[in-house]
Amino acid sequence: MVFLHNNVPSRKRPSSTSSSSVPPFPPPKIPKTTTTPAQPPQSNAVETPATIDKMVSILAEAGCTLINPTGPPCLPSEPHKFRRHLHRLFSSSSPETRSDFLSGFASYIHSPHNLRRVLTPTNHDGFGSISTKSKSLVQNLLLVPSIQLDLQTMLLEKLPEHFDLNSEHSGASLSLVDDVARLIVNQFRWLDFIVDHNAFAEKLMQVLSICPPNLKKEIIGSLPEIIGDQNNKTVVDCLEQMLREDSAIVVPVLDSLSNLNLDEQLQEQVISIALSCIRTIDGEHMPYLLRFLLLSATPVNVWRIISQIREQLKFVGVSNSRASQHSKLKGKSLVDNTEASILDALRSSLRFKNLLCQEILKQLNCLEKPQDHKVIDIWLLMLIYSNGESLQKSIVKVFKKKIIEDCIQEVMFDQCICGNKELVKDYFPLFLSLSEYLLACKEQKAREFGIHMYTCLFEEFIDTYSRQEVLGALVTHVGSGVTFEVQSALETMALLASKYAQDLIPLSSHITGILDYLDGFSVENLHKVYEAFSHLALSARSSADSYGSSIANKLLMIIRKQVSNPDLKYKKMGLIGTLRIVSCFGDANSVCHASASQKSNYEEALELLKTSLDSCKQSPLPLMLFYDELTAMLDYRTLHPSIMEWIGKHVGEFESLFLSDLDDGKLPLKESYCGLEGELWMNLDGDISPVCLNIFPLASSSMQSSSLQILPANFLLLSAIERLTNQGSLGGIDALLGCPLHLPSSKYFSGAGWKSLTEKQKQIVCLSLYYAANWIRELLNAFCTQVEGRTACTSQATKEDTVFKLLKRLRNLVFLEILLNNSIEGCSISLPELHFYVDHFGSPLPNQLNHMGHVEKNKHKKTQDSNSPKTSRRLKKTLKASSSDDNGKLRQPTILEVLKKVGGVTSQEVPNKESSTPTSQGGASNSANQNLCASSEPVIIEVSAVSKALEVQRFKFRPLLVQCFSILAFSENQGSCCYDPAAELPLYLYLLRDLHYKLDYFTPGKQFFARSLSPSAGFTRMTVDEFMSKIRPLFPSIKKHFKRVVLTLEESDETCQEHWKVQSASAENPDVSNVVLSRSAVSTLVFKETLCCFSKMLNLPAIQREKPVLSDLLEAFQPNKIPDSVLSDIQPNIFPGTVEYLYLGAYSYIESVLNTVCSFSFTLASESLLTLESIVNSFQKFLDMLEENGKIIHSECSPGVLPILRSRLGASAQKLLRHNRDDSQLESGWKSKGEIIQKTLHIYLENNESTSDLLDELACSILPQVYKTKEEADHHGFPTLCSATFVVWYRELHEVNLAVLNKLVKEVILLEKPRAGVQLQNVEKLLIKLQHSVNVVVSLVNMCRTQHKVTVHAMAVKYGGKFVDSFLKVFDFLQAHFNTYNELILQLVRELQKATRTIQALCSEAKGLKQTVITSKIPATKRSMERFLFCVKALLHTTSSGCSFWMGNLKHKDLMGKVVSSQAYADDQDNDVEENPTEAVDDDLPATVASEDERETE
């Protein structure tokens, strides 16, 4: 629009005074503002023909015919001339002419007919409608500047006269020609200019305030077309006021405001107006308001808009009565679905502006508290997710993060879905897609939320298509093969089957295919599969639907086939399915709806139970599984009394099968079995014991020995039945805890006695000990439930007596396993399995082959250096063939048989240095023990030594359950002259080792190793959170024993050696003189095991998420007081009780232990150092987890704690490396400490303030001094660095230097990014760091000139090639900054060239000497150096510098720099070895880089 301010001065409408160029208006023109009292009324003006005639004549002179009987006035063909003529006339002539014209025009339009004529466009189209291209007379007159303002005022004051007509017809039934009010408004649209926009806008706003609603909305919507952009402030203020008075006009107001060209200040005012309407606006107008706000968003105001919408918008999720009413109208859509319109407005706006999506994600990421999140947040995320793939990855990550943080909770999702089917219907695929993502996540909470989403979708969408989609997605998850994903999908399916079994029966064809792939599921997943189909079968039995009954019949048929199958794999599957059906059909709380012709549910379950038991009696392994699964089921399911009665009768046969009567605690008859004498062992009840466990007679009988295999499982079931029937008490069978064991005479365990036995008798003795040990294990499993606090009906005296017996039984168990290990060394025997390993049916390996063989494979090879490569390959092939056999029908050889077959070590020679069990490397070893048959001299057996021969077959043992760890909290103070903690340490060591095994099971990456430990079915179904919650009360007890051990080690006192024997005698162990206890050995092992378990628990991912458990664990290992010197270094101050304070306290305590043991044991000090590293790593992971969740800024953790811990860790490592000690103080030579030294050195390097400087110092100054004289070597200050450990140091320095270089490469890549903002200081720092790294590798490689070990040369070639390969990645960076730092860069290349020449000499020498250890690494290294050569050439070629580059054949020199006359060595020439003459060229690839000044001297 154009505003003619220069042509016509601005005038105020109420003023009656004229400007200098325009005379005052005559009174008739503006009746309401007249000030002349003699002027006649407005009505008389119409009757004045003189003014009208004059007006008509003026128009006629201009070419306009006002009086036209056939229609509106006729305008001239050139309206521009018409307007110019009138403007000149009114401007040049006297003011009376203008005044007369306006008075005449006002009189003329007083008639409604005349008014309509002048408002109507002058031309019409052929159909009788108004042409939009033509203008009315009024519109042409409004374009005359001289009279525009007067005409505008005149027409606006005419407008109220036609309000009644407009309101009568509500504006909808009148056409534009008939609606005079709309015609008047229409005249003001799209004027070419406005003379006085202020006056016009003010008058218009006055009239607008009294307009009827429909006309008001039209005028408001047309304001941008009427007023333009010159008076936006007035318009905005007026609209704001009207909006407060009437919120119904919000839509036209928003439409008008969106079309105004507002400045930033007015735009913010408009946004504030719109935001204030969110709470008060009607729901039907909300979509328009949201669309206006979102499309008005800018980077400045987007945060305010999104936050206000999130806070004030009341969306679905509260009580939605209307949605619930419409949900009953099946098949009918909502005509006026406000919420759907709101979602559509949000989705379209988010699609239009990516800024909104980014801001929503940003705000949600900043929210921390669950109460700050709303239902609208879920919808906003879903709408962004629906708009395309660009942000979908970000959305699902935010969803997962918020779910893990408990910010998006299940109840919020319920508010989105439940009762809003019609609203969610269009977004069903999106919710299903999100559910699929969550169910495939590794995080447990995310999968649990995915399960809930699937359940809600299935529940809310009852149509067949939607439910088929849900089931199809679940089946896809099941087929993924990912363990946790399959598990969660089957859990979802079981949950749906338990809730909606009747609804699933018609859809069961979509999931019954799972039954065809049962052999691919783990045991845990099999439970879920059978649980789901058991619910379907139970529901089908109560349904008259024939299709439903076919499901039940099919399931029962499959299970009966599996149970009767002779293959153990399928029999196991059938047993699991049987017990799952029994738990469903035989539930005491289930209601039976079977028809009269059918058996009741519990009768069907009981019959199936009997059938399964009968099929298992022929083999002990399935029967053990049957008992174990039945016991596990009884822990969570209450069965029908008839079923419980049958189980009770069956286990009641235990006494007749396994027990024998005693007379006054003694055997009535002393009989021999297979020529062996027997006696009672471990009789805790003395003469009052009525029975004994009949192990020895059963083990010696070939017909009944298999019954002992089911003894532990049978007893576990018996104890479960006893607890269920006696309110948790085992008082009815407490005699079994103290009853003696009938075992072979103890005289056979002396050297002469063992030598006198035949091979069969030795096997009987071993089997008797084996069954006895497992019997005691099950006693501990059963009776520990009586003392851990779960049983309220047991008296305190009974608990104390039970604790006393449990400690003695644990001592019996330790003693039995010591004897068994020693006996197995003297008798090669494969122990029968007492626990049916059922991890995965596709791998029958654990039944015949020890899994530890796979873990130990590399270590076996080390002990078999004498074996040929062909034999090693045959061993590898044998193991691979055994592990890949899936049919399970052929017997696979044990690891012992394989080793014996290939001529390897025997069972007692198999090393068991488990990589995850550091304790196996310490303490007294049994490897030095000779077989008992070799000598009549008694062999000393150390109580605390690792049972290596027994560990190979440990997976066959019955496992200790978690409740047994409660023994750690007890101690026995009786039966000795004084209280000696060391006498109890073997018991705690035994439990700590078992705890270590179980922690390995939960440690990421250790699951394969943990299979060899054979955890029970009950344990494998326990989550890590449940496991940690059960052992959480034992943390203080573990710390107490550890503290006691440290004191024992510090005292190093071996007095009171008889305490172990006294305690052993009080436990009724037989007197075996060669079993001894070393206080130092057992204390050392307990020390190691405690620290190892502490480290593993501290670094479990689950415990870091559970802050209470983490705090309790750290709290248990706190010192009496943290030194003030440590706290003073941390700013800001930290306070007790916070996580960082607990981490600092635990670190200080272990650090004090390290300082204590460092004086007498390098091994224990190194174990302490590794624990310190675990504490620091755990704290780092904890901080990383907080940072991922966006809580690091607002958390209680101080950022200054971690650097302090790392600095102290590096200092501790340095102290250990520099600690002076005599060789006699070491447990063994430095050669055996290589791995420990390597770890210590790595910690020292990684936790130094400047790793690069330290590497430079060690590689260039310290390491070259190793092979000097003893006096000179002592000056380097590292006693751990000597000729025996040189290779360890050399390798570690290479590896750390390579890691430093790779970090520098990453820094270079970040620095090269455009947004990084390269600064010269940063470039120079990087180049200096690169120089340090190059100096290190050059120094290390050049050491090969004095070091003649092939291992050192091989490492130089290997790591030198890797270094060059990584260095090539920075060449683009060097080229970009060559002109600025050419001296530094040239120095880098020259220095690195020294290393490449040495590497070339090493490669040539290795080829000549045929050193295959080195030659295997040469090709990769040569390729890297060739690339380095050409990269240097390209660098110097593309940069203008004073450097020259040439490439040629180097002279063939050896490591000492002497020229070699031929490529072949003299001794090789004698053997007629031909060499390729071109190798000289290949070997001499390094080029020479020199400046012009150096060319002569190079």
Side-chain angles (χ1 to χ4, degrees), residues 763 766-767 770-771 824 827-833 847-848 891 893-897 953 955-956:
Q763 291 182 358
C766 291
L767 288 176
Y770 175 60
Y771 291 129
I824 290 179
C827 172
S828 179
I829 181 175
S830 177
L831 300 174
E833 289 190 49
N847 297 333
Q848 290 83 17
R891 182 185 181 276
T894 64
I895 190 67
L896 306 177
E897 294 169 346
Q953 305 189 62
F955 72 97
K956 301 177 182 179

Side-chain angles (χ1 to χ4, degrees), residues 1150-1169:
I1150 302 298
E1151 188 180 40
S1152 66
V1153 172
L1154 184 147
N1155 296 331
T1156 301
V1157 301
C1158 189
S1159 60
F1160 57 84
S1161 175
F1162 179 82
T1163 303
L1164 295 183
S1166 63
E1167 290 288 339
S1168 303
L1169 182 68

Side-chain angles (χ1 to χ4, degrees), residues 45 47-57 100 104:
E47 299 173 357
T48 306
T51 57
I52 295 177
D53 293 341
K54 190 170 183 179
M55 180 268 298
V56 172
S57 64
D100 291 342

Side-chain angles (χ1 to χ4, degrees), residues 62 82 176 399 590 619 784 913 969 990 1118 1137 1171 1264 1316 1497:
F82 169 72
L176 181 59
F399 246 113
S590 65
S619 176
C784 279
K913 297 179 182 179
Y990 188 88
Q1118 293 296 298
T1171 306
T1497 60

Side-chain angles (χ1 to χ4, degrees), residues 227 255 546 1335:
I227 295 182
D255 188 31
S546 59
N1335 291 341

Side-chain angles (χ1 to χ4, degrees), residues 646-825:
W646 178 84
I647 297 175
K649 289 181 180 179
H650 178 72
V651 297
E653 301 173 359
F654 179 86
E655 182 177 357
S656 60
L657 288 175
F658 304 110
L659 300 179
S660 296
D661 294 332
L662 298 179
D663 293 337
D664 297 328
K666 298 180 181 179
L667 291 171
L669 296 174
K670 291 188 177 181
E671 299 180 6
S672 63
Y673 302 92
C674 297
L676 295 172
E677 298 179 9
E679 64 184 22
L680 295 181
W681 288 33
M682 306 169 182
N683 185 1
L684 302 185
D685 292 337
D687 296 341
I688 63 174
S689 180
V691 292
C692 72
L693 189 67
N694 209 18
I695 293 179
F696 177 43
L698 292 177
S700 60
S701 173
S702 59
M703 299 296 295
Q704 296 180 338
S705 59
S706 61
S707 63
L708 285 173
Q709 285 185 260
I710 63 171
L711 167 63
N714 198 336
F715 172 72
L716 193 64
L717 177 60
L718 172 64
S719 63
I721 292 294
E722 182 68 19
R723 283 197 303 271
L724 289 174
T725 55
N726 290 286
Q727 300 178 346
S729 173
L730 294 179
I733 58 172
D734 59 350
L736 295 177
L737 180 59
C739 77
L741 285 66
H742 191 184
L743 294 174
S745 174
S746 59
K747 66 181 181 181
Y748 298 120
F749 297 98
S750 63
W754 183 262
K755 185 178 180 181
S756 65
L757 299 180
T758 64
E759 190 67 23
K760 182 178 179 181
Q761 289 174 334
K762 291 177 181 179
Q763 291 182 358
I764 293 175
V765 171
C766 291
L767 288 176
S768 299
L769 295 176
Y770 175 60
Y771 291 129
N774 283 278
W775 163 254
I776 293 181
R777 279 175 164 250
E778 287 304 339
L779 284 178
L780 295 176
N781 288 335
F783 284 93
C784 279
T785 59
Q786 307 296 293
V787 297
E788 63 171 351
R790 295 192 303 179
T791 306
C793 60
T794 306
S795 64
Q796 184 62 31
T798 304
K799 284 186 177 181
E800 292 177 358
D801 182 63
T802 303
V803 168
F804 182 69
K805 289 184 178 180
L806 286 173
L807 287 169
K808 292 185 179 301
R809 282 306 185 198
L810 182 57
R811 196 173 292 275
N812 297 150
L813 178 59
V814 173
F815 181 80
L816 285 171
E817 292 197 7
I818 292 171
L819 292 182
L820 178 59
N821 178 73
N822 205 49
S823 300
I824 290 179
E825 289 182 349

